[in-house]
Amino acid sequence: TQLLEQSPQFLSIQEGENLTVYCNSSSVFSSLQWYRQEPGEGPVLLVTVVTGGEVKKLKRLTFQFGDARKDSSLHITAAQPGDTGLYLCAGGNHGGSQGNLIFGKGTKLSVKP
Amino acid sequence: DAMVIQNPRYQVTQFGKPVTLSCSQTLNHNVMYWYQQKSSQAPKLLFHYYDKDFNNEADTPDNFQSRRPNTSFCFLDIRSPGLGDAAMYLCATQGDPQGVRTGAFFGQGTRLTVV
């Protein structure tokens, strides 16, 4: 069974601070995805990374896929209250009908004004 | 415009009374997933379809069944809901062009309450 470990589980910071969330596994994934979920809503895709060592930027968010495609990180610069939410990483496997998408436990981020 | 639509948003059912949740998509994606998410937990994969091929997760109870009559629609049937089945149920779709999976698109979820 493939597992994704996310850390930290909870993070409470002040507006303007930087933070990093980690997603680790002992398994290799074809792709890793990051989602943000607000209470009562479905997760919303932020980014997909597929190449080992890949770095993607989305405004103040920087995503990195580990060289061995087993881990990923999400770094937020100058966090804002609007960044508050549950951040989920998900590992994907390709391979036709056998591929699936499993989630880490999530990091609950609270950014205080 | 919503691309993955789940109905209803909120469902109240009686203990033991069968209930069906529905999901439709306008993305023409091969893959459709059903997840169960309980409060403050990550989504847990129940099963998924690749076209008509059905894949059940090993730890999904037999109480949960699914149907995908065509590309656009997928249903989650809970045969005899128990109190422990109260949760948010999320449907998601994923494209698979040339065997490379895209990001997943989620519906807004159905919040199931069992009374």
Side-chain angles (χ1 to χ4, degrees):
Chain A
T1 304
Q2 292 179 306
L3 292 173
L4 280 164
E5 301 286 342
Q6 268 187 257
S7 62
Q9 196 173 349
F10 299 97
L11 193 53
S12 181
I13 61 172
Q14 292 296 128
E15 182 176 2
E17 292 184 16
N18 301 333
L19 66 114
T20 302
V21 177
Y22 299 93
C23 178
N24 296 294
S25 176
S26 57
S27 304
V28 176
F29 289 97
S30 302
S31 68
L32 259 172
Q33 299 165 13
W34 286 92
Y35 296 81
R36 180 165 165 265
Q37 185 178 25
E38 301 204 29
E41 301 291 331
V44 175
L45 178 70
L46 295 173
V47 77
T48 300
V49 284
V50 296
T51 305
E54 182 176 3
V55 176
K56 280 192 175 178
K57 293 197 177 207
L58 187 67
K59 297 183 181 176
R60 293 176 294 100
L61 278 59
T62 302
F63 305 87
Q64 184 159 10
F65 201 11
D67 290 340
R69 305 207 325 272
K70 293 183 180 181
D71 54 84
S72 181
S73 63
L74 157 60
H75 182 80
I76 301 180
T77 303
Q80 298 176 2
D83 295 328
T84 294
L86 179 67
Y87 288 83
L88 295 157
C89 70
N93 289 293
H94 302 158
S97 64
Q98 298 306 309
N100 61 12
L101 188 66
I102 60 168
F103 281 83
K105 292 191 175 183
T107 294
K108 196 165 186 179
L109 172 65
S110 174
V111 182
K112 299 185 185 336
Chain B
D1 290 338
M3 295 175 285
V4 182
I5 301 169
Q6 289 188 245
N7 282 304
R9 286 291 310 272
Y10 303 93
Q11 175 75 57
V12 180
T13 191
Q14 290 181 331
F15 182 94
K17 185 175 180 181
V19 65
T20 294
L21 311 182
S22 75
C23 178
S24 64
Q25 58 140 333
T26 59
L27 297 161
N28 204 34
H29 281 168
N30 302 85
V31 186
M32 291 187 81
Y33 298 96
W34 279 106
Y35 290 88
Q36 179 193 65
Q37 186 176 29
K38 296 192 175 180
S39 184
S40 300
Q41 295 184 21
K44 178 179 180 297
L45 182 61
L46 296 173
F47 24 60
H48 77 278
Y49 281 91
Y50 183 93
D51 293 330
K52 286 189 178 294
D53 291 339
F54 176 71
N55 294 272
N56 199 31
E57 292 300 297
D59 56 356
T60 298
D62 291 340
N63 197 26
F64 292 87
Q65 303 285 318
S66 184
R67 296 169 283 135
R68 190 179 185 185
N70 55 52
T71 300
S72 301
F73 287 88
C74 197
F75 300 97
L76 169 61
D77 300 309
I78 309 177
R79 295 195 294 192
S80 181
L83 297 177
D85 296 328
M88 173 79 92
Y89 289 88
L90 294 163
C91 171
T93 74
Q94 200 175 25
D96 190 40
Q98 287 131 25
V100 179
R101 294 287 175 87
T102 65
F105 290 85
F106 281 81
Q108 289 186 297
T110 295
R111 169 75 62 189
L112 179 69
T113 302
V114 182
V115 297

CSV table of all heavy atoms in Angstrom, one decimal, chain B residues 8-38:
chain,number,residue,atom,x,y,z
B,8,PRO,N,-27.2,15.1,-4.4
B,8,PRO,CA,-27.5,16.4,-3.9
B,8,PRO,C,-26.3,17.0,-3.2
B,8,PRO,O,-25.3,16.2,-2.9
B,8,PRO,CB,-28.7,16.3,-3.0
B,8,PRO,CG,-28.5,14.9,-2.4
B,8,PRO,CD,-27.8,14.0,-3.5
B,9,ARG,N,-26.3,18.2,-2.8
B,9,ARG,CA,-25.2,18.8,-1.9
B,9,ARG,C,-25.3,18.2,-0.5
B,9,ARG,O,-24.3,18.0,0.1
B,9,ARG,CB,-25.2,20.3,-1.9
B,9,ARG,CG,-24.8,21.1,-3.1
B,9,ARG,CD,-23.3,21.0,-3.3
B,9,ARG,NE,-22.4,21.3,-2.2
B,9,ARG,CZ,-22.0,22.5,-1.9
B,9,ARG,NH1,-22.3,23.5,-2.6
B,9,ARG,NH2,-21.1,22.6,-0.9
B,10,TYR,N,-26.5,18.1,-0.1
B,10,TYR,CA,-26.8,17.6,1.3
B,10,TYR,C,-27.8,16.5,1.2
B,10,TYR,O,-28.8,16.6,0.5
B,10,TYR,CB,-27.3,18.7,2.2
B,10,TYR,CG,-26.3,19.8,2.3
B,10,TYR,CD1,-26.5,20.9,1.4
B,10,TYR,CD2,-25.3,19.8,3.2
B,10,TYR,CE1,-25.6,22.0,1.5
B,10,TYR,CE2,-24.4,20.9,3.3
B,10,TYR,CZ,-24.6,22.0,2.4
B,10,TYR,OH,-23.7,23.0,2.5
B,11,GLN,N,-27.5,15.3,1.9
B,11,GLN,CA,-28.4,14.2,1.8
B,11,GLN,C,-28.6,13.7,3.3
B,11,GLN,O,-27.6,13.4,3.9
B,11,GLN,CB,-27.9,13.1,0.9
B,11,GLN,CG,-28.7,11.8,0.9
B,11,GLN,CD,-30.0,11.9,0.2
B,11,GLN,OE1,-30.0,12.3,-1.0
B,11,GLN,NE2,-31.1,11.7,0.8
B,12,VAL,N,-29.8,13.6,3.7
B,12,VAL,CA,-30.1,13.0,5.0
B,12,VAL,C,-30.8,11.6,4.7
B,12,VAL,O,-31.8,11.6,4.0
B,12,VAL,CB,-31.0,13.9,5.9
B,12,VAL,CG1,-31.3,13.2,7.2
B,12,VAL,CG2,-30.3,15.2,6.1
B,13,THR,N,-30.3,10.6,5.3
B,13,THR,CA,-30.9,9.3,5.1
B,13,THR,C,-31.1,8.6,6.4
B,13,THR,O,-30.4,8.9,7.4
B,13,THR,CB,-30.1,8.4,4.1
B,13,THR,OG1,-30.9,7.2,3.8
B,13,THR,CG2,-28.8,7.9,4.8
B,14,GLN,N,-32.0,7.6,6.4
B,14,GLN,CA,-32.2,6.9,7.7
B,14,GLN,C,-31.3,5.7,7.8
B,14,GLN,O,-30.8,5.1,6.7
B,14,GLN,CB,-33.7,6.3,7.7
B,14,GLN,CG,-34.7,7.4,7.9
B,14,GLN,CD,-36.1,6.8,8.0
B,14,GLN,OE1,-36.4,5.8,7.4
B,14,GLN,NE2,-37.0,7.5,8.7
B,15,PHE,N,-30.9,5.3,8.9
B,15,PHE,CA,-30.1,4.2,9.2
B,15,PHE,C,-30.7,3.0,8.5
B,15,PHE,O,-31.8,2.6,8.6
B,15,PHE,CB,-30.0,3.9,10.7
B,15,PHE,CG,-29.2,2.8,11.1
B,15,PHE,CD1,-27.9,3.0,11.5
B,15,PHE,CD2,-29.7,1.5,11.2
B,15,PHE,CE1,-27.1,1.9,11.9
B,15,PHE,CE2,-28.9,0.4,11.6
B,15,PHE,CZ,-27.6,0.6,11.9
B,16,GLY,N,-29.8,2.3,7.6
B,16,GLY,CA,-30.2,1.1,6.9
B,16,GLY,C,-31.0,1.4,5.6
B,16,GLY,O,-31.3,0.4,4.9
B,17,LYS,N,-31.3,2.6,5.3
B,17,LYS,CA,-32.1,2.9,4.1
B,17,LYS,C,-31.2,3.2,2.9
B,17,LYS,O,-30.4,4.1,3.0
B,17,LYS,CB,-33.1,4.0,4.3
B,17,LYS,CG,-34.0,4.3,3.2
B,17,LYS,CD,-35.0,5.4,3.5
B,17,LYS,CE,-35.9,5.7,2.3
B,17,LYS,NZ,-36.9,6.7,2.6
B,18,PRO,N,-31.3,2.4,1.9
B,18,PRO,CA,-30.4,2.6,0.7
B,18,PRO,C,-30.4,4.1,0.2
B,18,PRO,O,-31.5,4.7,0.2
B,18,PRO,CB,-30.9,1.7,-0.3
B,18,PRO,CG,-31.7,0.6,0.4
B,18,PRO,CD,-32.2,1.3,1.6
B,19,VAL,N,-29.2,4.5,-0.2
B,19,VAL,CA,-29.1,5.9,-0.7
B,19,VAL,C,-28.2,5.9,-1.9
B,19,VAL,O,-27.2,5.1,-1.9
B,19,VAL,CB,-28.7,6.9,0.4
B,19,VAL,CG1,-27.2,6.5,0.8
B,19,VAL,CG2,-28.8,8.3,0.0
B,20,THR,N,-28.5,6.8,-2.9
B,20,THR,CA,-27.6,6.9,-4.0
B,20,THR,C,-27.2,8.3,-4.2
B,20,THR,O,-28.0,9.3,-4.1
B,20,THR,CB,-28.4,6.4,-5.3
B,20,THR,OG1,-28.7,5.0,-5.2
B,20,THR,CG2,-27.6,6.7,-6.6
B,21,LEU,N,-25.9,8.5,-4.4
B,21,LEU,CA,-25.3,9.8,-4.7
B,21,LEU,C,-24.9,9.8,-6.1
B,21,LEU,O,-24.4,8.8,-6.7
B,21,LEU,CB,-24.1,10.1,-3.8
B,21,LEU,CG,-24.3,9.8,-2.3
B,21,LEU,CD1,-23.1,10.2,-1.5
B,21,LEU,CD2,-25.5,10.6,-1.7
B,22,SER,N,-25.1,11.0,-6.8
B,22,SER,CA,-24.7,11.0,-8.2
B,22,SER,C,-23.6,12.1,-8.5
B,22,SER,O,-23.4,13.0,-7.8
B,22,SER,CB,-26.0,11.3,-9.0
B,22,SER,OG,-26.3,12.7,-8.9
B,23,CYS,N,-23.0,11.8,-9.6
B,23,CYS,CA,-21.9,12.7,-10.1
B,23,CYS,C,-22.0,12.7,-11.6
B,23,CYS,O,-22.1,11.7,-12.3
B,23,CYS,CB,-20.6,12.1,-9.6
B,23,CYS,SG,-19.1,13.1,-10.2
B,24,SER,N,-21.9,13.9,-12.2
B,24,SER,CA,-21.8,14.0,-13.6
B,24,SER,C,-20.6,15.0,-14.0
B,24,SER,O,-20.2,15.8,-13.2
B,24,SER,CB,-23.1,14.6,-14.2
B,24,SER,OG,-23.3,15.9,-13.7
B,25,GLN,N,-20.1,14.7,-15.2
B,25,GLN,CA,-19.0,15.6,-15.6
B,25,GLN,C,-19.1,16.0,-17.1
B,25,GLN,O,-19.7,15.2,-17.9
B,25,GLN,CB,-17.7,14.8,-15.5
B,25,GLN,CG,-17.6,13.4,-16.2
B,25,GLN,CD,-16.3,13.1,-16.9
B,25,GLN,OE1,-15.5,14.0,-17.2
B,25,GLN,NE2,-16.0,11.8,-17.1
B,26,THR,N,-18.6,17.1,-17.4
B,26,THR,CA,-18.7,17.6,-18.8
B,26,THR,C,-17.3,17.6,-19.4
B,26,THR,O,-17.1,18.2,-20.5
B,26,THR,CB,-19.2,19.1,-18.8
B,26,THR,OG1,-18.4,19.9,-18.0
B,26,THR,CG2,-20.6,19.1,-18.2
B,27,LEU,N,-16.3,17.0,-18.7
B,27,LEU,CA,-14.9,17.1,-19.2
B,27,LEU,C,-14.5,15.9,-20.1
B,27,LEU,O,-13.4,15.9,-20.7
B,27,LEU,CB,-14.0,17.1,-18.0
B,27,LEU,CG,-14.1,18.3,-17.1
B,27,LEU,CD1,-13.6,18.0,-15.7
B,27,LEU,CD2,-13.5,19.5,-17.7
B,28,ASN,N,-15.4,14.9,-20.2
B,28,ASN,CA,-15.1,13.7,-21.0
B,28,ASN,C,-13.9,13.0,-20.5
B,28,ASN,O,-13.1,12.4,-21.4
B,28,ASN,CB,-15.0,14.1,-22.5
B,28,ASN,CG,-15.3,12.9,-23.4
B,28,ASN,OD1,-16.2,12.1,-23.1
B,28,ASN,ND2,-14.6,12.8,-24.5
B,29,HIS,N,-13.7,13.0,-19.2
B,29,HIS,CA,-12.5,12.3,-18.7
B,29,HIS,C,-12.7,10.8,-18.6
B,29,HIS,O,-13.8,10.4,-18.2
B,29,HIS,CB,-12.1,12.9,-17.3
B,29,HIS,CG,-11.4,14.2,-17.4
B,29,HIS,ND1,-11.2,15.0,-16.3
B,29,HIS,CD2,-10.8,14.8,-18.4
B,29,HIS,CE1,-10.5,16.1,-16.6
B,29,HIS,NE2,-10.3,16.0,-17.9
B,30,ASN,N,-11.6,10.1,-18.8
B,30,ASN,CA,-11.7,8.6,-18.7
B,30,ASN,C,-12.0,8.1,-17.2
B,30,ASN,O,-12.6,7.2,-17.0
B,30,ASN,CB,-10.4,7.9,-19.1
B,30,ASN,CG,-9.9,8.3,-20.5
B,30,ASN,OD1,-9.3,9.3,-20.7
B,30,ASN,ND2,-10.3,7.4,-21.4
B,31,VAL,N,-11.3,8.9,-16.3
B,31,VAL,CA,-11.2,8.3,-14.9
B,31,VAL,C,-12.2,9.1,-14.1
B,31,VAL,O,-12.3,10.3,-14.1
B,31,VAL,CB,-9.8,8.5,-14.4
B,31,VAL,CG1,-9.7,7.9,-13.0
B,31,VAL,CG2,-8.8,8.0,-15.3
B,32,MET,N,-13.0,8.3,-13.3
B,32,MET,CA,-13.8,8.9,-12.2
B,32,MET,C,-13.6,8.2,-10.9
B,32,MET,O,-13.4,7.0,-10.9
B,32,MET,CB,-15.3,8.8,-12.6
B,32,MET,CG,-15.7,9.7,-13.8
B,32,MET,SD,-17.4,9.8,-14.2
B,32,MET,CE,-18.0,11.0,-13.0
B,33,TYR,N,-13.5,9.0,-9.9
B,33,TYR,CA,-13.2,8.5,-8.5
B,33,TYR,C,-14.3,8.9,-7.6
B,33,TYR,O,-15.0,9.9,-7.7
B,33,TYR,CB,-11.9,9.3,-7.9
B,33,TYR,CG,-10.6,9.1,-8.6
B,33,TYR,CD1,-10.2,10.1,-9.6
B,33,TYR,CD2,-9.8,8.0,-8.4
B,33,TYR,CE1,-9.0,10.0,-10.2
B,33,TYR,CE2,-8.5,7.9,-9.0
B,33,TYR,CZ,-8.1,8.9,-9.9
B,33,TYR,OH,-6.9,8.8,-10.5
B,34,TRP,N,-14.5,8.0,-6.6
B,34,TRP,CA,-15.3,8.3,-5.4
B,34,TRP,C,-14.4,8.3,-4.2
B,34,TRP,O,-13.7,7.3,-3.9
B,34,TRP,CB,-16.4,7.3,-5.2
B,34,TRP,CG,-17.6,7.6,-6.1
B,34,TRP,CD1,-18.0,7.0,-7.2
B,34,TRP,CD2,-18.6,8.7,-5.9
B,34,TRP,NE1,-19.2,7.5,-7.7
B,34,TRP,CE2,-19.5,8.6,-6.9
B,34,TRP,CE3,-18.8,9.7,-5.0
B,34,TRP,CZ2,-20.6,9.4,-7.1
B,34,TRP,CZ3,-19.8,10.5,-5.1
B,34,TRP,CH2,-20.8,10.4,-6.1
B,35,TYR,N,-14.5,9.4,-3.4
B,35,TYR,CA,-13.7,9.4,-2.1
B,35,TYR,C,-14.7,9.7,-1.0
B,35,TYR,O,-15.8,10.3,-1.2
B,35,TYR,CB,-12.8,10.6,-2.1
B,35,TYR,CG,-11.6,10.5,-3.0
B,35,TYR,CD1,-11.6,10.9,-4.4
B,35,TYR,CD2,-10.4,9.9,-2.6
B,35,TYR,CE1,-10.5,10.7,-5.2
B,35,TYR,CE2,-9.3,9.8,-3.4
B,35,TYR,CZ,-9.3,10.2,-4.7
B,35,TYR,OH,-8.2,10.1,-5.5
B,36,GLN,N,-14.3,9.2,0.2
B,36,GLN,CA,-15.1,9.5,1.4
B,36,GLN,C,-14.2,10.3,2.3
B,36,GLN,O,-13.0,10.0,2.5
B,36,GLN,CB,-15.4,8.2,2.2
B,36,GLN,CG,-16.1,8.4,3.5
B,36,GLN,CD,-16.1,7.1,4.4
B,36,GLN,OE1,-15.1,6.7,4.8
B,36,GLN,NE2,-17.3,6.6,4.6
B,37,GLN,N,-14.7,11.5,2.8
B,37,GLN,CA,-13.9,12.3,3.6
B,37,GLN,C,-14.6,12.6,4.9
B,37,GLN,O,-15.7,13.2,4.9
B,37,GLN,CB,-13.5,13.6,2.9
B,37,GLN,CG,-12.6,14.5,3.7
B,37,GLN,CD,-12.1,15.7,2.9
B,37,GLN,OE1,-12.9,16.3,2.1
B,37,GLN,NE2,-10.9,16.2,3.2
B,38,LYS,N,-14.1,12.2,6.0
B,38,LYS,CA,-14.7,12.5,7.3
B,38,LYS,C,-14.0,13.8,7.9
B,38,LYS,O,-12.9,14.2,7.4
B,38,LYS,CB,-14.5,11.3,8.2
B,38,LYS,CG,-15.3,10.1,7.7
B,38,LYS,CD,-15.4,9.0,8.7
B,38,LYS,CE,-16.3,7.9,8.2
B,38,LYS,NZ,-16.5,6.8,9.1
